[in-house]
Amino acid sequence: MDLVAGAPGRLLAFGGGPSIERARFEREVRALAAALPHGACAVNLCENRYRFLVALCAVALRGQINLLPSSRAPAVVDDVLARYADSYCIGDLPLDPLPPRYLRLPELLDQAEGEPLRVDPDALLAIGFTSGSTGQPKPNHKTWRAFATSTAQNLAALDDLLRSDAITPLVATVPPQHMYGMEMSVLLPLFGPVSVHAQRPFFPGDVARALSEAAAPPLLVTTPVHLRALVESGVELPVLAGIVSATAPLPAELAQAAEARYRCEVREVFGSTETCVFARRRTALEQAWTPLPGVRVCPQPDGTAIHAPHLPEPVVLADLMEVEAGGRFVLRGRNADLLEIAGKRASLGDLTRKLIAIDGVRDGVVFQLDVADHLGVRRIAALAVAPGLTEAQILHALRQSIDPVFLPRPLRCVNALPRNETGKLPRHALEAMLRAAE
């Protein structure tokens, strides 16, 4: 199969320098592939999205496997390198500390002519790692064929937001190493009529500038954390083709506020590192999710089995889903989030929503500690970002909406939650912050 779709002159990337067409991209991939060191795997740490694309495809063309850690934190990278002894790192930044066997890309990539680039569809392209938000990061193997199939589903799910007569520009605030970022900002440009901004803007002003560099109304791929920052900043954005959100539940009121402010649809997608995206909804107007073409959602006692054309076998998620007659489903929480104390039930997700709903609480999370106390009970804890409120005031407000047996003890006020690049909260970081705040 072709490594990248489209005519040689079609736009692949823009922003942060000259626009890149497919032909130049292939020349740079060829040159980099020839210069790569020996090794079975490469940890792709590129921050620039276009350079990530070049490195990803060059590694694959060399017959090697891309390792995609959930972040560039040294401990996370070291863990991945330890799992794959015959591996090296490739990146575009002067990292400190420097990872072992680190190949830093030059400012100007070399180019090499040659035959059109083709790859074995059944070759292993990448191993993506879960974020560790619920425990130890787990590896997930992805082939070219599986990615091509799932990308066709994503293109169908976004069809009415994409231009029918030309390339749709796309700007993403999520890192390409994360599976959502990989699907929406790397695979869409490779396999579909989409061009991607080379940078990863973070702050609202940077996002606005990146969007303004698009030659046509762009699609913004982001997260609830970034979207909330945009809405609250008051920054003006150009006309958008639409907004796509994932990585964490998107509150309906935030989706409604974003649609009203930016005059476009906010489309939330549902997926995981294990499954890739498999459902969509317009959160401002609906609660139920619509599975993508060919996807079946099958509840079972320990969670929900996801059947999809790109999955070699069903994947069981811990999410509890209630399936409607037409196949749409409503998320009811996660199996691991359910609590039962003194014959009463609650979910950590619902408790977190009630914490964040308190006037003055800007961010927060309720979670259950891994280690039991001297009575054998795993306590419920909470962290809250609430300038101007005391812990006692927050607990008093919580008592108005939840049963006393589910009140978090301890609850600590902090300046900010330890969110990673996609807005998720790794458990180890939560427990470390809780210990530091005691």
Side-chain angles (χ1 to χ4, degrees):
M1 64 181 292
D2 290 339
L3 185 143
V4 57
R10 78 100 163 171
L11 184 65
L12 185 76
F14 67 97
S19 296
I20 305 292
E21 297 177 343
R22 173 184 171 175
R24 174 175 170 178
F25 169 73
E26 289 196 331
R27 291 195 298 269
E28 293 181 341
V29 169
R30 264 189 225 100
L32 181 58
L36 291 178
H38 294 290
C41 306
V43 180
N44 193 334
L45 300 176
C46 291
E47 168 76 10
N48 179 282
R49 205 172 306 269
Y50 175 68
R51 287 171 176 267
F52 177 92
L53 262 164
V54 173
L56 178 94
C57 293
V59 167
L61 196 65
R62 185 65 179 268
Q64 301 172 356
I65 302 167
N66 285 270
L67 302 177
L68 307 179
S70 59
S71 82
R72 285 182 296 277
V76 175
V77 174
D78 288 345
D79 176 67
V80 172
L81 289 171
R83 298 188 191 202
Y84 301 88
D86 188 16
S87 58
Y88 63 94
C89 295
I90 183 170
D92 55 359
L93 296 176
L95 301 180
D96 185 20
L98 200 65
R101 296 192 68 193
Y102 182 58
L103 171 64
R104 183 183 173 191
L105 298 183
E107 291 298 321
L108 185 63
L109 294 172
D110 291 333
Q111 301 184 41
E113 300 291 345
E115 295 296 318
L117 302 184
R118 298 184 61 81
V119 291
D120 178 358
D122 295 313
L124 185 58
L125 169 61
I127 301 176
F129 293 85
T130 56
S131 64
S133 57
T134 58
Q136 184 71 12
K138 297 178 181 177
N140 293 268
H141 295 68
K142 308 292 183 180
T143 65
W144 280 100
R145 188 187 301 277
F147 270 147
T149 303
S150 64
T151 302
Q153 291 175 297
N154 289 334
L155 287 168
L158 298 173
D159 181 65
D160 55 332
L161 299 182
L162 302 177
R163 300 184 68 185
S164 60
D165 58 342
I167 297 293
T168 299
L170 182 151
V171 173
T173 66
V174 289
Q177 289 84 3
H178 186 271
M179 196 53 62
Y180 167 53
M182 177 80 171
E183 286 190 81
M184 293 293 160
S185 68
V186 174
L187 297 174
L188 286 185
L190 278 181
F191 295 131
V194 173
S195 62
V196 68
H197 195 284
Q199 305 296 331
R200 181 167 70 91
F202 183 82
F203 296 107
D206 297 329
V207 175
R209 280 189 290 275
L211 292 168
S212 69
E213 294 183 41
L219 193 66
L220 174 61
V221 172
T222 190
T223 72
V225 171
H226 293 123
L227 187 57
R228 185 177 296 279
L230 275 172
V231 171
E232 292 180 351
S233 73
V235 67
E236 292 296 326
L237 300 183
V239 175
L240 301 178
I243 297 172
V244 181
S245 177
T247 73
L250 177 64
E253 59 272 17
L254 175 56
Q256 292 161 2
E259 288 199 357
R261 179 166 183 79
Y262 301 123
R263 301 173 300 283
C264 68
E265 180 180 334
V266 176
R267 185 164 298 177
E268 189 176 7
V269 295
F270 192 110
S272 67
T273 302
E274 299 92 332
T275 62
C276 294
V277 170
F278 63 87
R280 49 167 281 193
R281 71 177 179 183
R282 186 174 179 180
T283 311
L285 302 179
E286 57 188 350
Q287 184 183 15
W289 295 87
T290 300
L292 300 192
V295 173
R296 288 188 298 116
V297 176
C298 302
Q300 55 186 51
D302 57 345
T304 305
I306 309 301
H307 301 251
H310 62 278
L311 297 175
E313 58 186 20
V315 173
V316 177
L317 300 179
D319 301 276
L320 303 176
M321 302 172 186
E322 182 180 311
V323 181
E324 300 175 348
R328 303 180 79 211
F329 64 90
V330 176
L331 189 63
R332 297 302 186 192
R334 292 178 63 87
N335 193 37
D337 286 350
L338 295 180
L339 303 170
E340 185 167 354
I341 301 175
K344 300 175 181 179
R345 291 187 174 184
S347 79
L348 293 171
D350 185 57
L351 294 176
T352 294
R353 284 190 289 273
K354 288 174 178 175
L355 171 62
I356 296 174
I358 296 172
D359 188 25
V361 175
R362 295 183 179 176
D363 199 2
V365 62
V366 179
F367 58 103
Q368 191 171 29
L369 301 181
D370 282 335
V371 179
D373 62 17
H374 66 286
L375 297 176
V377 176
R378 292 173 57 208
R379 290 184 296 161
I380 301 170
L383 296 170
V385 180
L389 293 181
T390 66
E391 294 162 0
Q393 288 172 321
I394 297 172
L395 284 171
H396 176 74
L398 280 176
R399 286 191 183 95
Q400 314 308 309
S401 60
I402 69 174
D403 191 287
V405 299
F406 297 115
L407 282 175
R409 305 278 192 178
L411 181 148
R412 296 287 181 263
C413 289
V414 295
N415 292 327
L417 295 186
R419 295 189 180 277
N420 63 18
E421 292 176 306
T422 59
K424 292 190 176 183
L425 295 166
R427 173 170 291 277
H428 67 86
L430 289 176
E431 296 209 359
M433 176 167 279
L434 185 67
R435 289 193 298 270
E438 288 180 346

